[in-house]
Amino acid sequence: MKRIMFYCQHILGMGHLVRSREIVRGLTKDFQVCFINGGEIIQGFEIPAGVEVINLPAIKTDPEFAELQVVDDAFSLSEVQEIRKNRLLEIFQQFQPDILIVELFPFGRRRFSFELIPLLELAKSKKGSTKIVSSLRDIVAVKPEKQVKHEEKVCKLINKYFDMLLVHSDPELVPLEATFSRVNDLKCQVYYTGYVVQEPPTNPILTDQDREIIKSDKPLILASVGGGRFGHELLECVVNTAPFLEKLLPHHIQVFTGPFIPNSKFKELQQMARFSKNIYIRRYTPYLLNYMKKAELSINMSGYNTTMNILTTGVRAMILPFTGNQEREQTIRAEKLSNLGIVKFINHNYLQPDYLAINIINYLKEQPNKISFDSGGVEKTANILKALAAKQKFALFEKGSRVY
């Protein structure tokens, strides 16, 4: 069986980890997979059975996405970087992958060049026995004033090290050239896979609380912010809106803060909600899709995976983009879907309890537009990689495929 080594580094939220997990799920039938996680471990987050998981000493970032930090304070950042670099090279030599997949790099994560460049150099030294693939979401996020320099570096790194780029998007919805102008300068094969979407867990082991809410006849409003390192102002506003809605709507409000929310903020939210009978606050659930399917309204940030969950479940949604450190990725996605009438775009002006309550009540009366898009990213990624491992060309006539 062919072998794939998959490197994933999540540093702020958990979106990159979720998307990578779904891709890996589609690879297990045909590949032996070694999954490298460089970010913080999430309790209750399951990797598909049969996958070898190696957790590197974890690195995260501050809530503004500006500074790298170690999760284990016993080591300095420089010490952890050296440990990780050596560990990656050791894993590669032991596993001897036929394909090395690096998630996001070099379009992002260039702060991890300290370990990725040595890894890519080692893979490249195998004279083609290891194919090198970049796995990229739909939108390339870069500050406008840095775009020219950024794209020049991306082109140099892609053309030096990579055999293939997989873009997990539908070009009819978001083409790569919309946020990366130099697609035609990339010399490797470039394929669109369609969007990577999550599958709901089979035979979920629901808690009594999960079952009570999901199976209840009582209508549900859901609020979540992904990993929980940011989005606190949205959660605070939802909690403060609950007393207004309690008088006007029969809904239960379920809030998931994310596993990375600081303990102090989690306790503060619980304290704020202590007199509201219509709201309950938890950190994390592996069954967010089940909640979305049940909900009449979902209030979220506009990350890749949450947005895909919104589109696949068809839930009515209000979304607030993350804008820390001048990030534009979530804003681009939210504006696109808002302009199509699929979601309601909310900005910080909405984050006043009485104003948000009015907008929630009014939006519950509306029927958002639906959209047809290519959601076959898991299966198509697996098929493309099978062809690559077999040294064959992928069948471009398949619906939604595209190559440059």
Side-chain angles (χ1 to χ4, degrees):
M1 184 176 278
K2 298 289 186 178
R3 297 179 298 277
I4 287 181
M5 179 175 169
F6 195 117
Y7 170 98
C8 173
Q9 175 66 57
H10 61 99
I11 57 176
L12 183 60
M14 53 189 291
H16 294 278
L17 181 63
V18 171
R19 183 170 56 255
S20 297
R21 188 264 307 273
E22 295 306 307
I23 293 170
V24 165
R25 172 173 56 79
L27 300 177
T28 55
K29 179 181 176 182
D30 298 289
F31 292 95
Q32 180 183 346
V33 182
C34 177
F35 185 77
I36 311 298
N37 171 36
E40 193 167 353
I41 297 172
I42 301 171
Q43 297 300 321
F45 184 89
E46 295 184 356
I47 300 295
V51 175
E52 179 185 4
V53 180
I54 298 177
N55 296 301
L56 299 177
I59 292 177
K60 63 180 181 178
T61 187
D62 63 280
E64 288 301 310
F65 204 51
E67 179 182 325
L68 293 182
Q69 302 172 341
V70 295
V71 173
D72 184 352
D73 293 334
F75 297 94
S76 69
L77 179 59
S78 60
E79 288 172 330
V80 166
Q81 288 175 328
E82 186 68 16
I83 292 169
R84 286 170 55 115
K85 180 190 73 173
N86 293 332
R87 183 72 179 115
L88 275 174
L89 299 178
E90 179 183 285
I91 294 165
F92 183 94
Q93 293 284 34
Q94 292 174 348
F95 190 65
Q96 292 291 313
D98 298 283
I99 299 175
L100 170 64
I101 302 177
V102 182
E103 201 271 336
L104 189 58
F105 187 86
F107 296 87
R109 298 292 184 267
R110 289 220 299 272
R111 286 183 284 183
F112 289 82
S113 294
F114 67 88
E115 63 187 13
L116 288 175
I117 294 300
L119 177 63
L120 293 171
E121 288 283 355
L122 178 58
K124 202 69 176 174
S125 72
K126 299 302 178 180
K127 307 297 183 183
S129 62
T130 298
K131 298 296 183 182
I132 305 174
V133 177
S134 175
S135 169
L136 179 66
R137 67 187 175 206
D138 54 344
I139 293 168
V140 179
V142 61
K143 297 174 184 176
E145 67 272 16
K146 295 184 177 180
Q147 185 164 355
V148 172
K149 187 175 181 180
H150 174 78
E151 291 188 349
E152 178 64 25
K153 288 182 178 178
V154 169
C155 289
K156 285 183 178 179
L157 289 166
I158 283 282
N159 294 338
K160 182 175 182 179
Y161 293 112
F162 289 83
D163 299 290
M164 181 178 287
L165 168 63
L166 298 180
V167 185
H168 305 299
S169 177
D170 181 339
E172 299 301 319
L173 186 60
V174 181
L176 179 57
E177 54 265 36
T179 54
F180 185 80
S181 69
R182 294 187 58 181
V183 175
N184 291 329
D185 293 328
L186 302 178
K187 296 178 182 178
C188 69
Q189 298 177 74
V190 181
Y191 290 101
Y192 286 95
T193 69
Y195 279 95
V196 172
V197 302
Q198 293 176 258
E199 281 190 356
T202 54
N203 303 317
I205 305 173
L206 301 177
T207 65
D208 290 341
Q209 188 178 66
D210 289 326
R211 192 174 296 104
E212 180 181 350
I213 296 170
I214 293 172
K215 303 296 184 183
S216 170
D217 293 332
K218 192 171 187 178
L220 172 67
I221 293 174
L222 176 68
S224 67
V225 292
R229 287 200 177 100
F230 57 85
H232 303 161
E233 69 279 15
L234 177 60
L235 298 179
E236 289 173 3
C237 189
V238 170
V239 171
N240 287 326
T241 301
F244 291 86
L245 297 177
E246 191 171 6
K247 304 171 185 177
L248 301 169
L249 295 175
H251 292 60
H252 169 79
I253 303 171
Q254 177 63 57
V255 173
F256 290 106
T257 65
F260 301 140
I261 192 168
N263 287 329
S264 58
K265 178 56 67 174
F266 183 76
K267 292 177 181 177
E268 179 185 331
L269 291 170
Q270 287 187 313
Q271 183 71 9
M272 289 165 59
R274 68 190 186 281
F275 296 123
S276 298
K277 297 179 180 179
N278 61 334
I279 189 169
Y280 191 80
I281 300 171
R282 290 168 59 189
R283 288 181 181 271
Y284 174 72
T285 177
Y287 309 122
L288 190 65
L289 271 174
N290 301 78
Y291 278 89
M292 276 197 174
K293 287 181 177 180
K294 159 73 176 175
E296 290 197 4
L297 172 65
S298 189
I299 305 172
N300 313 96
M301 309 298 286
S302 50
Y304 182 104
N305 300 292
T306 300
T307 302
M308 289 304 103
N309 290 342
I310 290 167
L311 294 180
T312 55
T313 61
V315 66
R316 185 186 288 105
M318 303 173 73
I319 56 178
L320 173 78
F322 170 73
T323 57
N325 200 28
Q326 301 178 14
E327 279 286 310
R328 285 276 302 159
E329 174 227 338
Q330 292 197 12
T331 300
I332 292 169
R333 190 178 294 113
E335 288 178 343
K336 174 76 174 182
L337 295 179
S338 177
N339 291 338
L340 292 171
I342 298 165
V343 301
K344 187 174 186 64
F345 183 101
I346 59 177
N347 57 38
H348 290 273
N349 294 330
Y350 278 73
L351 300 185
Q352 304 170 41
D354 52 348
Y355 187 50
L356 182 62
I358 292 170
N359 276 276
I360 287 172
I361 292 167
N362 290 337
Y363 194 49
L364 283 170
K365 300 173 185 176
E366 298 181 23
Q367 192 61 45
N369 294 333
K370 304 296 181 185
I371 188 174
S372 176
F373 68 102
D374 185 352
S375 60
V378 171
E379 181 180 3
K380 195 167 295 175
T381 296
N383 289 337
I384 292 171
L385 293 174
K386 280 192 290 183
L388 178 64
K391 298 181 172 59
Q392 298 172 349
K393 283 285 186 179
F394 180 63
L396 295 180
F397 56 82
E398 290 190 18
K399 184 178 183 297
S401 301
R402 184 173 172 187
V403 66
Y404 290 90

